[in-house]
Amino acid sequence: MTVVEKLIELRALMAERGIDVYMIPTSDFHETEYVGEHFKARYFMSGFSGSQGTLVVCKDQAALWTDGRYFIQAAKQLKGSGIELMRMGEEGVPTIVSYIYDHICEHGGFGFDGRVMNTKLAASICAKLSEKQVQIICHEDLVDKIWKDRPALPKDPAFFLKECYSGKSTADKLADILAVMKKKQATHHIVTTLDDIAWILNMRGNDIAHFPVVLAYLIITENKHHLFVDRSKLSQELLDNFAQNEIELHPYDAVYEFVKIIPKTAVVMMDKAHVNYAISENLKQVSKIIDCPNPSQMMKAIKNPVELENNRKAHIKDGVAMTKFMYWLKTNVGKMEISEISASDYLAELRAQQEGFLDVSFDTIAAYKEHAAMMHYSATKESDVLLKPEGMLLVDSGGQYLEGTTDITRTFVLGAISDEERLHFSAALRGHIALSKAHFLYGCRGTNLDILARGPLWEMGIDYKCGTGHGVGHLLNVHEGPNGFRWRIVSERNDSCVLEEGMTQSNEPGVYVEGSHGIRHENECVVVKGEKNEYGQFMHLETITFVPFDLDGIDPDVLSSYEKQWLNDYHQEVYEKISPYLTEEEKTWLKQATRAI
């Protein structure tokens, strides 16, 4: 069935129910960034495969909103579908709410599945539509009626993450959360975000590809806690942990009926930006709801000493795999057949050889030449190309290890490149170095520091349409709030908090020229304390990723002496940390690849 045919069928279902506009976000029941196969309704209906986007279908029009990472990709994938691309953040592009308002009649019907819309977003849309006395129809998933071969919910087993990896027991985490609840005088805390639940319960699973979580809901109370999950997934270690911590198990879908019987006198703490609208609608009997971020969000963002030490170990393992890949790629391109997909597969094999490796942390981006201009390009059988001893290959990848989560990008020079490409490569690296060298007073946010990375590019009158960096989870999601680097606050991104000691960040400026090339340089770093004096507490960033930057892409004349010194010192550290795990041939190559410039 084509996208056009699916839209025709959806519009027929809408007409039967009196729905003028139907909204399909990119979400599961938990507001997860990357969703499992069962929840890819927006992809199924539109043909756009990016991780972020919202489809709105009207009686005779349809539009899809996505951000700058996906403009090029979305334009290609939506071609011929009849769906208009709305480039979020661009001048003249309407917001989703204003578009819906303009395309719905007085007393018309607005439809969506209340389980995949967060309460805050749904409430804001409904409030605006109340001006037209619109009927809200949110108790049915219309896409499910069209998607005949929809994948079932996952049944993969979950496992207990031991304290030698997590650094903190479930009991201690629950106690910390209960302390926050007591301060706020809350009797119940509803947690629906999967990474928070996984962190609180020291539970990991495989319900979403590359994102080691388990589909579940958690309600925390003073005396007993309630976990809504498919019990058949749980290991005996998890069952024992739950019993020890007074956690009662319920079927996954039972949460919707359970919240209906929460006492009227209860004070419920929850994050409306993440708890879905269907749950909120079933909470109407409760007299008071405290809308606030989950306390666990900040708790898990500030990594404890055990997590940090494990994370450093994970990055050494990952650095070995990536360095071996760089050696193989640079040595063999033009001598053997290598494509984007086969290169990605070989890198996955190298990571799998590392002890404690569980999975990649996201679908690897291996993008050659102009493909790299699409920030989140993913090679398919149709788009896969052979690599030649010319141009550049951008590889953005990472691993999930028992010790932690990694995320790294390197841009590899495979042969001759243009002067413009070399200039862009060098400018992006200068931005990366400037941010790596940052020393800042406590209280700064990523918005205060982002200009360090963009500065060399802004001087050239160019930019990149995304943030400079994001928080990274601990054996969790590769994109984690509430910390990040971004030049302006984007409220829905939740990445602009004060940078705290122990937070893990990516640093990844880049240049993307449509139809030509893409460049990104990414390391992970940890926020650490520096000197404290009369001016306050100074902070800086500890780099924990160790893989060479490709010196073949650099114009040394563009770099200052300070930038060269940073790069030389970094490369010396790469050699010292990574070479013990390499063959003699690889060591010899690495010595040259990390030479001083």
Side-chain angles (χ1 to χ4, degrees), residues 158-174:
F159 67 93
F160 178 64
L161 188 67
K162 296 178 181 178
E163 207 167 321
C164 62
Y165 297 114
S166 69
K168 196 167 188 176
S169 68
T170 297
D172 287 342
K173 292 175 180 180
L174 287 169

Side-chain angles (χ1 to χ4, degrees), residues 6 31 39 59 77 115 120 122 131 133 147 152 165 172 222 227 230 258-259 366 388 411 414 434 469 504 512 524 597:
K6 293 172 187 175
E31 283 290 304
F39 295 103
K59 290 180 178 179
Q77 291 182 326
R115 298 170 300 172
K120 184 177 180 181
E131 298 174 12
Q133 300 180 55
W147 198 351
Y165 297 114
D172 287 342
E222 185 177 1
L227 179 64
D230 181 347
F258 185 92
V259 296
K388 300 176 183 178
T411 306
L414 305 185
T504 306
Y512 309 93
E524 278 188 42
I597 62 168

Side-chain angles (χ1 to χ4, degrees), residues 366-396:
Y368 185 48
K369 288 189 173 181
E370 68 273 11
H371 285 169
M374 294 180 276
M375 293 183 199
H376 280 218
Y377 167 82
S378 183
T380 63
K381 290 181 180 179
E382 293 74 29
S383 69
D384 189 28
V385 293
L386 292 176
L387 310 183
K388 300 176 183 178
E390 61 185 43
M392 296 181 293
L393 175 72
L394 184 154
V395 180
D396 187 351

Side-chain angles (χ1 to χ4, degrees), residues 75-279:
K76 291 182 177 181
Q77 291 182 326
L78 294 178
K79 190 175 182 180
S81 68
I83 300 172
E84 183 181 2
L85 172 60
M86 298 292 184
R87 295 174 171 83
M88 294 173 66
E90 298 283 277
E91 188 175 348
V93 174
T95 65
I96 295 171
V97 177
S98 64
Y99 182 91
I100 292 171
Y101 184 85
D102 291 343
H103 286 80
I104 204 162
C105 303
E106 294 277 347
H107 305 287
F110 173 58
F112 58 92
D113 178 359
R115 298 170 300 172
V116 297
M117 285 268 278
N118 74 67
T119 299
K120 184 177 180 181
L121 175 61
S124 67
I125 296 174
C126 294
K128 178 65 177 176
L129 296 183
S130 67
E131 298 174 12
K132 290 188 174 183
Q133 300 180 55
V134 167
Q135 182 184 5
I136 305 302
I137 305 165
C138 62
H139 303 296
E140 195 174 16
D141 178 5
L142 297 188
V143 176
D144 194 58
K145 299 184 178 302
I146 302 169
W147 198 351
K148 304 303 181 185
D149 58 348
R150 187 173 196 167
L153 289 174
K155 289 282 187 181
D156 296 68
F159 67 93
F160 178 64
L161 188 67
K162 296 178 181 178
E163 207 167 321
C164 62
Y165 297 114
S166 69
K168 196 167 188 176
S169 68
T170 297
D172 287 342
K173 292 175 180 180
L174 287 169
D176 289 345
I177 292 168
L178 285 166
V180 176
M181 291 172 60
K182 187 174 182 179
K183 285 183 180 179
K184 293 182 177 289
Q185 299 182 320
T187 60
H188 294 67
H189 176 33
I190 298 176
V191 188
T192 63
T193 40
L194 302 182
D195 53 332
D196 285 293
I197 295 170
W199 182 84
I200 294 166
L201 302 181
N202 288 330
M203 175 175 66
R204 300 295 191 272
N206 194 34
D207 282 357
I208 300 175
H210 319 315
F211 181 18
V213 295
V214 181
L215 293 174
Y217 306 91
L218 177 64
I219 299 180
I220 299 172
T221 70
E222 185 177 1
N223 299 316
K224 183 184 283 189
H225 318 298
H226 302 273
L227 179 64
F228 302 82
V229 67
D230 181 347
R231 187 188 181 104
S232 67
K233 299 176 182 179
L234 306 178
S235 68
Q236 189 58 48
E237 281 185 301
L238 282 171
L239 292 171
D240 292 343
N241 186 46
F242 298 155
Q244 292 165 12
N245 288 286
E246 299 291 330
I247 298 170
E248 183 177 333
L249 299 180
H250 306 265
Y252 175 58
D253 287 330
V255 68
Y256 297 97
E257 291 302 314
F258 185 92
V259 296
K260 289 181 181 178
I261 61 171
I262 292 178
K264 182 179 179 180
T265 55
V267 177
V268 176
M269 183 174 80
M270 67 183 198
D271 184 355
K272 290 185 178 181
H274 289 95
V275 172
N276 71 51
Y277 191 68
I279 288 176

Side-chain angles (χ1 to χ4, degrees), residues 527-596:
V527 180
V528 296
K529 285 183 177 179
E531 178 188 5
K532 185 175 184 179
N533 56 29
E534 68 270 28
Y535 302 107
Q537 175 67 61
F538 280 89
M539 314 289 287
H540 61 271
L541 304 173
E542 174 199 348
T543 296
I544 59 173
T545 303
F546 297 102
V547 175
F549 292 99
D550 195 339
L551 296 177
D552 292 339
I554 297 173
D555 179 357
D557 293 336
V558 173
L559 272 62
S560 70
S561 60
Y562 298 103
E563 291 162 348
K564 290 177 185 176
Q565 187 62 55
W566 182 93
L567 184 61
N568 291 339
D569 290 345
Y570 173 76
H571 274 161
Q572 182 178 345
E573 195 169 6
V574 169
Y575 185 82
E576 291 171 355
K577 291 182 181 294
I578 302 301
S579 63
Y581 303 95
L582 304 180
T583 66
E584 288 303 317
E585 189 174 339
E586 290 167 340
K587 283 183 185 179
T588 301
W589 170 86
L590 182 60
K591 194 70 174 176
Q592 176 66 12
T594 57
R595 67 191 181 275

